[in-house]
Amino acid sequence: MKRYQYYKVVAATPSVAIGDPQKNVQAMLDLCTRVPQDTQLIVFPELCITGYTCQDLFYEDILLRQAQQGLSHFLEAMPDQMAAFVGLPVQIQNKLYNAAAFCFDHHVLGFQLKTYIPSYNEFYETRWFTSGKNCPVDTMNWQGEIVPVSNGLVFYDTTTQACIGAELCEDLWVTIPVSSKLALAGANILCNLSASNDTIAKDVYRHQLVVDQSARTYSGYVYASAGPQESTSDLVFSGHDLICENGTVLAERNYLDAKDFIVGEIDIQNVMNDRIHFKTSMEDEVHDVKTITYASKPIHTIALHRTYDAYPFVPNDSEQRIHRCQNILNIQAQGLATRLSKIHCEHVVIGISGGLDSTLALLVCERAFQLCQYDPKNIHAISMPGFGTSVRTKTNADQLIDLLHASKETISIGDAVHQHFRDIHHDPKIMDITYENSQARERTQILMDLANQYNGIVIGTGDLSELALGWCTYNGDHMSMYAVNVSVPKTLVRYIVETRALQAQKEGQNALHDVLMDICDTPVSPELLPLDASGKIAQKTEEVLGSYDLHDFFLYHLLRHHEQPEKIFDLCVQAFPTIDKKTIKNGLLTFYRRFFAQQFKRNCMPDGVKVGSICLSPRGDLRMPSDASRDLWLQQVEAIDIE
């Protein structure tokens, strides 16, 4: 696919011969020939040219000289246009430093020096090495070139906008990691040349450490550790390699894996967009980091190793999904419970259609009333059959209300809507938007007036996906007094209801389980148009709007990563290989047209609790003018070639 701003990186753990730079460099070069040809950066472990466990051999002049010659050989033979971090000991004046040489296109652009030198437990580096923060010079003569040397260097590629910084092993494990300072100086790809041994549970801690650092610095993070070929006198080294981006693991391996490297593509655009968005994390200034610039040759296409989840709101792992669904339901319920408590309200009114959204909202009410210790009979669940209500949805609605011990009432809207048609001189045979919206507004009027009677509030049932597309009637189902589903995407609603069904089954509530599962299997529909000849739902939302699977994918990548339409299309093609490109393109056109045109509904949406990273509230996450032009986005979608 197109490169966009992907930057391909490799974390590698070559086999090491302790104290033999010639063999080690050859192993590194052999590995360079096996990584993907479009690799732009390869990160090797700490002291990989000599081996980390040389101990007092670091005092030997022959080893230090051979290490320098080994680096020189690596530079001569390394692939053109590839960047690499290589670990080796570097002597500066009368001291020895643990260094990472940044190599690009056969040159050393700088030496990043290790700052924190451990001397505890199994580590005794202070016996040989000095901290880079005490280096008396900021340049050194290496092979006839004046090269920067410091514990604060970043390397900026003007072609790709990759800004690369490195820390060495212990530099990450301290209170304020060196990479934090480098990130504040602009580094968006952080690297760690490490020699981390394995002990019980250390792999879990190390994994989380790298993941968390990539998240808090909004960066790509490439971690390469020495492997088990190091000395085993007292330790086994992990060979733990990790590539992360903004708290997400792109690739990972340890010494039990047969492969000796991992590949990942860092999305620099996403990293930089997050830094712009969450700018408080980048407000501190640093003045002791030097930036070295270079320019790589442009690469226009890329073989993408990373995958994109077709359902970014829904965890793939069933246990994680159940946990998330339970957590979301609890957050929704707590929000409603707090609102009811604060306004001294013990009654709610909710319209129940037998569809997924109103079912979830009713389940939220059930849980909120449990938290408040209110009588569930004060949940006034109103069924309002209209011209498109099916026997299936009406039956499910009635059974659900009874099983949750709420108060049930059925109010048919047919007569009232026909009276309204006569009042506004609308022919009921014309089943247009007026025909549909009149029903939605009549239902809302009923709920609002009942809320007045019961001294309660109306609970909104619309979800995040509907709000994004404006698939709601303005001042109809668009309006409520507290909207519990407003930040729950359509692709997740079904799983939350399903999770509650599974809980009911465990508790022996088989009837509740069965009705909830049947609601999950019911086609999504507003039921505003008459049924077909067989009495089944004729108006299916996804036949009009397109798949909610696609729309939720578009929504996530638009608002979470602010990606351009062309990129969202390409990612969607990869994520949904069975859906043809024409369908995806048409879906994307529909999405952008509606997303821009329907902002006026979101700008006056009711209160509702935020449960995830995407929210459309004008008081929170999305501040957007209702009259913004959509032309830039639509033009790019229309220009996409699907042949």
Side-chain angles (χ1 to χ4, degrees):
M1 66 181 293
K2 293 180 180 178
R3 174 165 289 279
Y4 298 106
Q5 282 185 277
Y6 289 110
Y7 192 82
K8 182 163 287 188
V9 298
V10 166
T13 301
S15 178
V16 66
I18 302 163
D20 194 336
Q22 184 177 357
K23 286 185 179 179
N24 294 334
V25 167
Q26 190 56 54
M28 293 158 58
L29 290 171
D30 289 344
L31 200 149
C32 285
T33 65
R34 293 189 283 113
V35 302
Q37 290 186 350
D38 55 354
T39 297
Q40 292 165 286
L41 172 67
I42 183 167
V43 181
F44 291 106
E46 183 178 15
L47 295 168
C48 56
I49 285 184
T50 59
Y52 176 78
T53 51
C54 287
Q55 298 189 14
D56 281 359
L57 293 179
F58 285 125
Y59 292 139
E60 297 294 318
D61 183 67
I62 186 174
L63 180 63
L64 299 180
R65 289 179 182 274
Q66 283 295 313
Q68 298 298 309
Q69 291 180 20
L71 178 58
S72 180
H73 176 52
F74 179 82
L75 290 170
E76 292 173 1
M78 71 182 295
D80 295 342
Q81 292 294 306
M82 182 184 287
F85 269 119
V86 177
L88 76 163
V90 173
Q91 183 178 348
I92 301 174
Q93 295 183 0
N94 302 316
K95 293 186 173 72
L96 196 62
Y97 295 89
N98 187 339
F102 184 76
C103 311
F104 175 73
D105 203 27
H106 313 291
H107 294 276
V108 173
L109 301 189
F111 290 97
Q112 171 75 10
L113 306 181
K114 187 172 184 177
T115 300
Y116 296 98
I117 312 299
S119 187
Y120 57 84
N121 295 348
E122 61 266 39
F123 299 106
Y124 200 34
E125 286 185 36
T126 53
R127 181 178 176 91
W128 312 289
F129 298 110
T130 298
S131 170
K133 63 185 175 183
N134 299 320
C135 185
V137 298
D138 57 10
T139 61
M140 64 178 290
N141 189 317
W142 194 85
Q143 302 279 321
E145 296 183 4
I146 302 301
V147 177
V149 55
S150 170
N151 70 330
L153 299 177
V154 295
F155 304 89
Y156 180 65
D157 180 2
T158 57
T159 302
T160 64
Q161 294 186 302
C163 189
I164 307 165
E167 59 189 353
L168 290 95
C169 203
E170 188 77 5
D171 290 348
L172 172 63
W173 297 68
V174 297
T175 305
I176 303 177
V178 170
S179 55
S180 296
K181 178 177 71 172
L182 301 180
L184 289 171
N188 48 40
I189 295 180
L190 304 173
C191 306
N192 192 308
L193 291 75
S194 181
S196 185
N197 62 306
D198 245 0
T199 55
I200 295 297
K202 189 175 181 179
D203 59 333
V204 177
Y205 183 81
R206 185 170 49 231
H207 169 100
Q208 200 59 50
L209 194 65
V210 173
V211 169
D212 288 349
Q213 185 65 355
S214 76
R216 69 169 58 92
T217 56
Y218 298 102
S219 67
Y221 199 104
V222 188
Y223 183 93
S225 181
Q229 293 84 13
E230 291 282 358
S231 173
T232 58
S233 295
D234 297 292
L235 305 171
V236 170
F237 285 83
S238 66
H240 195 174
D241 296 338
L242 264 168
I243 300 174
C244 300
E245 176 189 294
N246 284 7
T248 299
V249 176
L250 302 182
E252 184 172 12
R253 66 168 291 278
N254 62 25
Y255 65 86
L256 296 177
D257 295 324
K259 206 168 186 180
D260 47 10
F261 67 90
I262 53 174
V263 182
E265 294 84 26
I266 307 297
D267 192 332
I268 295 175
Q269 178 192 6
N270 284 356
V271 168
M272 299 309 293
N273 281 341
D274 273 359
R275 289 185 174 188
I276 293 171
H277 190 177
F278 306 106
K279 60 182 181 179
T280 52
S281 63
M282 294 290 135
E283 285 184 348
D284 291 341
E285 294 184 5
V286 293
H287 303 285
D288 55 348
V289 175
K290 181 177 182 179
T291 301
I292 295 99
T293 61
Y294 68 101
S296 62
K297 291 182 179 178
I299 301 176
H300 300 292
T301 58
I302 184 173
L304 203 61
H305 289 75
R306 65 185 290 172
T307 58
Y308 283 89
D309 196 341
Y311 301 93
F313 293 108
V314 183
N316 288 318
D317 179 77
S318 60
E319 290 187 11
Q320 185 183 0
R321 183 172 62 245
I322 289 171
H323 175 75
R324 179 174 296 183
C325 290
Q326 290 172 337
N327 194 30
I328 290 172
L329 184 58
N330 287 334
I331 293 171
Q332 291 175 278
Q334 186 60 65
L336 176 57
T338 300
R339 173 56 58 93
L340 293 172
S341 175
K342 294 291 186 183
I343 64 175
H344 309 289
C345 176
E346 297 186 11
H347 292 262
V348 298
V349 178
I350 180 172
I352 302 300
S353 67
L356 277 168
D357 289 342
S358 64
T359 295
L360 175 57
L362 183 57
L363 294 174
V364 172
C365 292
E366 176 204 29
R367 183 72 56 85
F369 270 54
Q370 291 171 351
L371 293 173
C372 292
Q373 297 182 331
Y374 289 169
D375 186 346
K377 289 297 181 183
N378 290 351
I379 302 173
H380 303 278
I382 315 300
S383 174
M384 296 170 284
F387 306 142
T389 302
S390 67
V391 173
R392 178 181 184 180
T393 54
K394 180 65 171 69
T395 301
N396 282 338
D398 289 343
Q399 290 181 356
L400 181 64
I401 296 167
D402 290 339
L403 289 167
L404 296 180
H405 310 293
S407 294
K408 179 176 66 177
E409 186 172 359
T410 298
I411 302 175
S412 176
I413 66 170
D415 291 343
V417 173
H418 277 297
Q419 177 61 52
H420 183 60
F421 287 161
R422 289 191 291 271
D423 292 341
I424 65 173
H425 311 294
H426 181 76
D427 183 352
K429 295 179 181 179
I430 302 174
M431 298 178 188
D432 57 4
I433 193 69
T434 303
Y435 180 92
E436 295 182 21
N437 285 351
S438 294
Q439 297 173 70
R441 291 195 178 100
E442 177 60 28
R443 286 177 171 135
T444 300
Q445 176 179 271
I446 290 170
L447 296 175
M448 291 289 181
D449 292 342
L450 286 174
N452 292 153
Q453 286 186 339
Y454 293 121
N455 194 26
I457 63 173
V458 175
I459 303 302
T461 62
D463 62 48
L464 177 73
S465 308
E466 291 178 341
L467 202 56
L469 296 167
W471 191 251
C472 54
T473 300
Y474 190 84
N475 207 33
D477 55 317
H478 156 259
M479 190 47 60
S480 65
M481 297 168 184
Y482 196 78
V484 295
N485 293 341
V486 287
S487 64
V488 182
K490 183 73 77 176
T491 48
L492 193 55
V493 170
R494 176 176 279 102
Y495 287 105
I496 301 175
V497 174
E498 180 184 278
T499 297
R500 180 65 180 88
L502 295 175
Q503 179 188 347
Q505 188 178 45
K506 287 183 179 180
E507 296 171 353
Q509 299 174 315
N510 292 328
L512 179 58
H513 167 269
D514 292 345
V515 71
L516 289 176
M517 293 306 295
D518 192 64
I519 290 170
C520 287
D521 293 336
T522 304
V524 177
S525 172
E527 295 191 330
L528 298 174
L529 295 179
L531 304 174
D532 63 19
S534 64
K536 294 182 179 180
I537 295 170
Q539 184 186 21
K540 297 178 182 177
T541 299
E542 291 182 290
E543 291 179 359
V544 179
L545 287 180
S547 167
Y548 271 119
D549 293 356
L550 296 182
H551 288 309
D552 279 0
F553 185 90
F554 302 151
L555 179 65
Y556 177 85
H557 285 276
L558 170 66
L559 292 187
R560 177 62 187 87
H561 297 302
H562 306 284
E563 289 161 333
Q564 58 182 306
E566 184 183 39
K567 182 178 178 183
I568 294 176
F569 172 83
D570 284 344
L571 296 182
C572 192
V573 169
Q574 181 192 4
F576 293 93
T578 60
I579 299 180
D580 63 272
K581 292 182 179 181
K582 182 179 180 181
T583 299
I584 294 174
K585 180 177 178 177
N586 289 339
L588 198 55
L589 284 168
T590 298
F591 174 81
Y592 278 110
R593 285 173 182 144
R594 296 193 65 93
F595 184 81
F596 276 83
Q598 302 294 310
Q599 176 62 23
F600 73 99
K601 295 179 182 177
R602 299 188 289 268
N603 274 342
C604 59
M605 61 183 280
D607 290 354
V609 65
K610 175 181 177 179
V611 302
S613 61
I614 306 296
C615 180
L616 298 174
S617 170
R619 299 169 296 277
D621 291 52
L622 184 66
R623 290 165 174 81
M624 174 180 166
S626 297
D627 44 10
S629 172
R630 61 192 182 186
D631 291 350
L632 279 177
W633 289 262
L634 290 179
Q635 286 168 8
Q636 190 175 102
V637 179
E638 289 166 350
I640 293 173
D641 184 6
I642 59 175
E643 297 301 326

